[in-house]
Amino acid sequence: MGEFFKLLKGGNRPSLLAAVMNTLIAIMKGVAFFFTGNVAMFAETMHSIGDAANQYFVFIGSALSKKAPTKRFPNGFGRLLNLVLLGAVLIVGIMAYETIVEGWHQLTHPVEAEGFIISVVVLSIAVILEFAVLYKAGKEVLHESGVKGGIMAPITTSFAHLNRAKPATKLVFMEDLVATGGGVLALIAVLIAHFTGFLAIEGAASIAIGLMMFYVVMTVFLENARCDWGNR
């Protein structure tokens, strides 16, 4: 057990920060969904839970993959991260499917949600927090790429250097980019539904968020496939 915690100290720090932050955001959104029943909020709750689970997997996998080779595993544990990420892909994929299903129900049979103010406040706070994590991940991308820049560089310049960052850091950056975009999309949908009465827009937003989650799933899967092929 002592060795396990020692290995965790060497895990990917941006993924741990993102995991903790997304856990808090998921709880906040989940409570808001409980009181409002808003479908867009449900989609964002699933999104944050999926991101948090994914990033916990990345952190633990990145730490355990650094374990020294043993007689039983003479080639080391470098590919452990790939196996762990496959579990994350499965979890996020299931949540993405549920998000799309709920969005379709709202799109075809619109239901007015309650707690407009709660939804707006929670989504606004979530977007700010997710952007903060995205900014931190962008700084880590630049650091790992050996690039320096101004105050906005983590958001602007980091895109051009993603391929030079560690796979775990790259994944966290992309996940939080999608999370921030999803939060903004959900917030816009809630505002439109409230002020125009076009309730189906929340279902459309939920479907879009689910598709964004699938994009993350495919990104993780392809990254794993690339690494697996490169190790042969």
Side-chain angles (χ1 to χ4, degrees), residues 4 12 20 37 42 63 66 71 80 93 111 118 121 127 130 144 160 163 165 170-171 183 187 189 198 200 204 213 223:
F4 174 74
N12 185 269
V20 172
F42 171 80
K66 296 178 181 178
K71 290 183 179 180
L80 183 61
V111 177
I118 294 176
V121 170
V127 168
E130 284 161 347
E144 293 176 359
N163 290 334
K170 177 182 177 181
L171 176 59
L187 180 59
F198 182 39
M213 292 171 71
E223 190 73 34

Side-chain angles (χ1 to χ4, degrees), residues 60-131:
I60 295 173
S62 66
L64 297 183
S65 66
K66 296 178 181 178
K67 181 177 172 62
T70 63
K71 290 183 179 180
R72 187 176 180 183
F73 300 100
N75 294 324
F77 297 82
R79 295 180 65 183
L80 183 61
L81 177 58
N82 302 107
L83 295 175
V84 168
L85 284 176
L86 288 177
V89 164
L90 180 61
I91 292 175
V92 179
I94 292 172
M95 290 183 174
Y97 171 77
E98 291 297 330
T99 299
I100 292 174
V101 169
E102 287 299 319
W104 179 254
H105 289 165
Q106 177 68 9
L107 186 64
T108 54
H109 301 88
V111 177
E112 185 174 3
E114 301 178 353
F116 169 71
I117 298 299
I118 294 176
S119 296
V120 171
V121 170
V122 169
L123 287 173
S124 298
I125 293 174
V127 168
I128 293 171
L129 294 177
E130 284 161 347
F131 181 81

Side-chain angles (χ1 to χ4, degrees), residues 29 44 47 123-124 126-127 130 178-188 209 212:
K29 290 177 180 177
E44 275 300 288
H47 196 171
L123 287 173
S124 298
V127 168
E130 284 161 347
V178 171
T180 304
V184 172
L185 184 62
L187 180 59
I188 292 173
I209 291 169
M212 291 166 74

